[in-house]
Amino acid sequence: MAGFPAVLAFLLIYIFPMGMTMVYSFLENSFSKTPVGFDNYVYVWGKPSFQQALQNTASLTAVLLTASMALALLLAYLLWKHPGVGKTAAAVLLLPLLVPSGAITPLWQKLFDTSPFSSDARCYAAITSLFLWKYAGAGALILRSGLDGIAPDVLNAASMDGAGPVKSYLQVCLPMLRREISLTLLLFLMFAFRIYKESYLLFGEYPSEKMYLIQHYMNNQFMKMNFQYVAVSAVSLATLSLATYALAYAVMRKKEGQI
Amino acid sequence: MKKISGVLLILLTAAFALPLAALIYLSFRSGDGFGLEQYRRALSDAEFLRRLSCSCRITLLSLAFHLPVALICGLLLARGRFRGRTGLSMLFVLALLLPFQVIMLPVYKMSLASGLYDSYWSVVLLAAFAPLGTLISVVLIRGVPESQWEAASLETNSLFETMRLVILPQILPGLAVLGLLVFADTWNMVEQPLILLPTPEKRPLSLAFNDILKTNTDYLYAGSALYALPIVAVYFLLFGFSARRKIR
């Protein structure tokens, strides 16, 4: 079929490099090409700057996920309760997803007065609010689409049993939204692992200590031509991302099993 | 309770609209006055215009390749009958999930080896074969009932004809959204041109406020507004279009 050459090109551009990254991580450097086993891993994982970057990436991801999920759940509830305003609100909430980060970061820099010397708290506030603004609306709309599928009978039964609107939303509706919740979570995770773009635009190449992510470490090593260390960091980042996805997936499956 | 939550929704929606409103407001400020001064400066700066045309060129070329690629790959993954189809789909998902940094180094080396380093084509190729479009079109194509697809296959042997007559008319609205998302994604590319286009003059607008225009801030907000304008305009055009279709 006509699709195969295009698929081959995709494999060459996106999948083959993943394999190459894996190979590079086991070579002395990209010039001598001597295999060195896990030496690069031992070196990189032992570096305090890498450990710091790994820890920062994990905490930032956790903060971004929790905050955006909470806001998306709140927005979805409000949109659902007010279908009249919902349409206009939905248009406004979705728009930030499309606005290029580079166009809005100058405003955020002014608002939060960020510089390489800004405090960690200020940097966290800046990047978390930017993340919420850009992505929480899209997540809320996905969750909202799931709420339409819930039969009114179920909600009536819940209110007969004395559950208030908030209680029935949290305890009756949300367990029925596992598909939408997992999709939203996946989306937020994906964007959280791409937050380097916004971090670069906001803080430049040298951010405050808590904002120094694995991607910054990789960029620094890239500039120093230490390609084997870039490869080790890339494999670590990929493992971290995939492990988080797998964990999220497993939790969702378990929840599904309970119901 | 209902009243409070309604007010909360309006307040939150306003908060989401605020940044763009503030950007527009600041873009009309200059010195202590109010006017088009910033826009005049931005549009008379050759460097800004060059960056804008870089962005346009990269995005339009990427879209022109991405849409057909997404459709034919999507068709293969949605309707193709071959072994390893699920595995292949998983690779597209994998490529979507992992950040660019995972493939950055080999991509850089491949661009050097192929002579595409410091050329628009390196960025365009990355965008053209990005997994997002394919995965969305798989969902869109699966939405078309298989019976219709089989009926059309009896009428004509040409895959192209089946696509044109059966699939495309039904997925057109979804395809418009796909185009919009890919447009936004490409227009917003930062890491790829940062690594692959070392010459500042070749870099798109997405990087402008971090390198060459960093010192030149007398039209920062108008420049940002102009940068956001195309995608916002297309968004509202599509939104108006879909609203009108529904009325009919």
Side-chain angles (χ1 to χ4, degrees), chain B residues 66-121:
Chain B
H66 192 112
L67 289 178
V69 165
L71 277 176
I72 57 173
C73 289
L75 192 62
L76 190 70
L77 292 180
R79 290 275 181 260
R81 293 204 174 99
F82 57 94
R83 282 185 63 183
R85 196 181 71 175
T86 318
L88 193 59
S89 310
M90 291 307 287
L91 287 181
F92 277 86
V93 176
L94 186 73
L96 182 73
L97 294 184
L98 293 181
F100 174 69
Q101 279 76 16
V102 172
I103 60 166
M104 167 174 85
L105 176 60
V107 162
Y108 166 76
K109 292 210 148 200
M110 280 159 71
S111 74
L112 281 177
S114 61
L116 292 177
Y117 183 64
D118 207 17
S119 140
Y120 298 118
W121 286 101

Side-chain angles (χ1 to χ4, degrees), chain A residues 14 21 81-82 91 133 194, chain B residues 2 5 16 96 102 126 235:
Chain A
Y14 280 89
T21 301
K81 286 283 154 184
H82 301 274
W133 181 71
R194 293 180 181 180
Chain B
K2 185 105 184 167
S5 70
F16 272 80
L96 182 73
V102 172
L126 270 174
Y235 176 73

Side-chain angles (χ1 to χ4, degrees), chain B:
Chain B
M1 184 67 197
K2 185 105 184 167
K3 222 171 202 171
I4 298 172
S5 70
V7 172
L8 188 60
L9 177 62
I10 291 170
L11 282 179
L12 280 172
T13 308
F16 272 80
L18 198 63
L20 280 181
L23 179 64
I24 294 168
Y25 168 78
L26 286 169
S27 75
F28 287 110
R29 286 290 302 262
S30 56
D32 38 58
F34 212 70
L36 288 169
E37 185 56 30
Q38 271 194 59
Y39 285 95
R40 205 172 297 128
R41 279 196 200 133
L43 293 173
S44 61
D45 183 351
E47 190 53 45
F48 180 82
L49 292 175
R50 177 162 44 198
R51 292 303 187 94
L52 190 63
S53 86
C54 277
S55 277
C56 289
R57 194 175 330 174
I58 290 174
T59 305
L60 292 179
L61 273 174
S62 302
L63 261 181
F65 284 98
H66 192 112
L67 289 178
V69 165
L71 277 176
I72 57 173
C73 289
L75 192 62
L76 190 70
L77 292 180
R79 290 275 181 260
R81 293 204 174 99
F82 57 94
R83 282 185 63 183
R85 196 181 71 175
T86 318
L88 193 59
S89 310
M90 291 307 287
L91 287 181
F92 277 86
V93 176
L94 186 73
L96 182 73
L97 294 184
L98 293 181
F100 174 69
Q101 279 76 16
V102 172
I103 60 166
M104 167 174 85
L105 176 60
V107 162
Y108 166 76
K109 292 210 148 200
M110 280 159 71
S111 74
L112 281 177
S114 61
L116 292 177
Y117 183 64
D118 207 17
S119 140
Y120 298 118
W121 286 101
S122 55
V123 180
V124 169
L125 278 175
L126 270 174
F129 289 94
L132 178 69
T134 299
L135 288 170
I136 296 177
S137 50
V138 168
V139 176
L140 294 177
I141 292 171
R142 288 223 175 111
V144 178
E146 195 148 10
S147 56
Q148 292 184 18
W149 165 260
E150 265 152 20
S153 314
L154 294 178
E155 295 286 317
T156 168
N157 270 328
S158 154
L159 190 67
F160 179 75
E161 283 292 295
T162 320
M163 195 77 184
R164 190 173 68 88
L165 295 172
V166 181
I167 309 262
L168 278 184
Q170 296 192 47
I171 64 172
L172 217 54
L175 213 55
V177 175
L178 189 162
L180 187 69
L181 285 175
V182 172
F183 181 8
D185 213 30
T186 316
W187 193 250
N188 193 7
M189 273 209 279
V190 169
E191 292 107 318
Q192 294 88 335
L194 194 64
I195 296 285
L196 296 170
L197 299 175
T199 314
E201 286 76 25
K202 289 184 182 169
R203 286 180 167 179
L205 211 49
S206 47
L207 289 169
F209 303 110
N210 262 57
D211 50 44
I212 212 151
L213 300 178
K214 201 174 185 178
T215 43
N216 192 355
T217 48
D218 55 358
Y219 61 78
L220 183 62
Y221 298 110
S224 301
L226 286 169
Y227 174 40
L229 183 67
I231 191 85
V232 175
V234 173
Y235 176 73
F236 281 113
L237 272 178
L238 271 181
F239 204 73
F241 183 70
S242 75
R244 225 178 308 142
R245 261 172 73 117
K246 276 200 191 109
I247 289 164
R248 262 190 227 152

Side-chain angles (χ1 to χ4, degrees), chain A residues 75-149:
Chain A
L75 283 169
Y77 174 78
L78 295 175
L79 287 170
W80 181 51
K81 286 283 154 184
H82 301 274
V85 211
K87 202 127 206 151
T88 322
V92 175
L93 293 177
L94 192 61
L95 184 58
L97 178 71
L98 301 171
V99 173
S101 310
I104 207 73
T105 37
L107 182 75
W108 243 260
Q109 282 171 325
K110 184 187 168 79
L111 212 65
F112 288 88
D113 194 20
T114 57
S115 74
F117 313 107
S118 305
S119 71
D120 290 328
R122 182 173 290 198
C123 292
Y124 251 83
I127 205 139
T128 309
S129 57
L130 184 59
F131 189 87
L132 289 177
W133 181 71
K134 235 174 122 50
Y135 305 119
L141 293 181
I142 296 177
L143 295 172
R144 165 79 184 81
S145 75
L147 287 168
D148 279 335

Side-chain angles (χ1 to χ4, degrees), chain A residues 14 17-18 21-22 190 192-200 213-220 222 227 229-238 241, chain B residues 95 97-108 190-192 194-195:
Chain A
Y14 280 89
M18 287 182 197
T21 301
M22 200 83 121
M190 187 176 100
F193 280 114
R194 293 180 181 180
I195 196 69
Y196 175 73
K197 180 194 293 189
E198 282 77 24
S199 166
Y200 172 78
L213 305 173
I214 297 186
Q215 287 98 323
H216 290 101
Y217 179 84
M218 289 171 74
N219 248 16
N220 289 350
F222 188 85
F227 292 163
Y229 302 148
V230 180
V232 170
S233 323
V235 174
S236 312
L237 183 63
S241 331
Chain B
L97 294 184
L98 293 181
F100 174 69
Q101 279 76 16
V102 172
I103 60 166
M104 167 174 85
L105 176 60
V107 162
Y108 166 76
V190 169
E191 292 107 318
Q192 294 88 335
L194 194 64
I195 296 285

